[in-house]
Amino acid sequence: MTNSSLDIVKKYYEFVNKGDFGEDTYYKLFAEDVELFYPKFGYDKGREGIKRFTKQIKQVINALTFEMDKFNFIAKDNYVTVEGHEFGQTSNGIDFPNHTTSFGKFVSVFDVENGQIKRMHCYVDPDLAGQDKMVTRLFKEDLDNQSLLTVDQQTEQVVNQFYDLLLGKVQGDIINLFADEIDWDLPGNETKFPWLGKKTTKQQVKEGFFDLHPQYVEPIKFEVEFIAINGVNATATGYLSSKILKSDKIFNSSFVGIFKVINGKITKYHFLEDSYKLDTIQE
């Protein structure tokens, strides 16, 4: 490594700070066959590649300044590594870094041969102003994999969990799937079958259905035939068979379950069965 290699790298940053991208200044620093790498942009070759990159980066950034007095230069043989800090403004008018999700830190590696930059690989988060909300949330919050799912996938996952818990395929407390406030409705004769009816809170669902239902009904068969998903909404169809304990009678019926899932919680559950047939069962 010669002193001129470090000087060439410093000139590169000085030209950028000045906004000088002239043919006889900035571009003359690069070898004809220079190799460039920049995250998201990828690889390119030659001075034409540098020009393409410069054109592209101007679509992302209105202003860019390097704090050269804070640079850490590491030079060995033909290589110069720069650890530094940058700041500026994006093309949509947002100043960066915000020092919350973006910090302006970068590392670049240069290969300088015969007084020209032969290779320049830049390693920096191209989300300069921290506008990548999904990735930022994944780093900043204690989230599970649900954050990566589409709305349809989240709804499907919760509905499947509901039936897995209901049928005893997995262990857990099914009440935890429900939001604190819920639109719950199982139409029918509430006087004869007190687990039926409307409920508006998770606690009412627990006490009025899950705690009460086993005292009156012994499940025999419960099969889900089909689940349709549309965003936060889902509909399940199937068939059930139950013994009504007071009368020792068997109740058979098709059913439809209607769900709404918001932020991973069930906020609506309506269950439709042959309530007329249920009401005619003699005690």
Side-chain angles (χ1 to χ4, degrees), residues 60-64 87-96:
V60 178
I61 299 173
N62 279 340
L64 176 65
F87 65 92
Q89 186 182 80
T90 63
S91 56
N92 58 352
I94 299 175
D95 293 334
F96 68 87

Side-chain angles (χ1 to χ4, degrees), residues 167 217-225 238-243 250-253 255 271:
L167 299 176
V217 177
E218 179 184 318
I220 298 173
K221 186 177 183 180
F222 191 98
E223 291 184 350
V224 178
E225 296 175 340
Y239 177 85
L240 65 84
S241 181
S242 304
K243 179 189 286 188
I250 303 301
F251 170 61
N252 301 308
S253 177
F255 71 82
F271 186 81

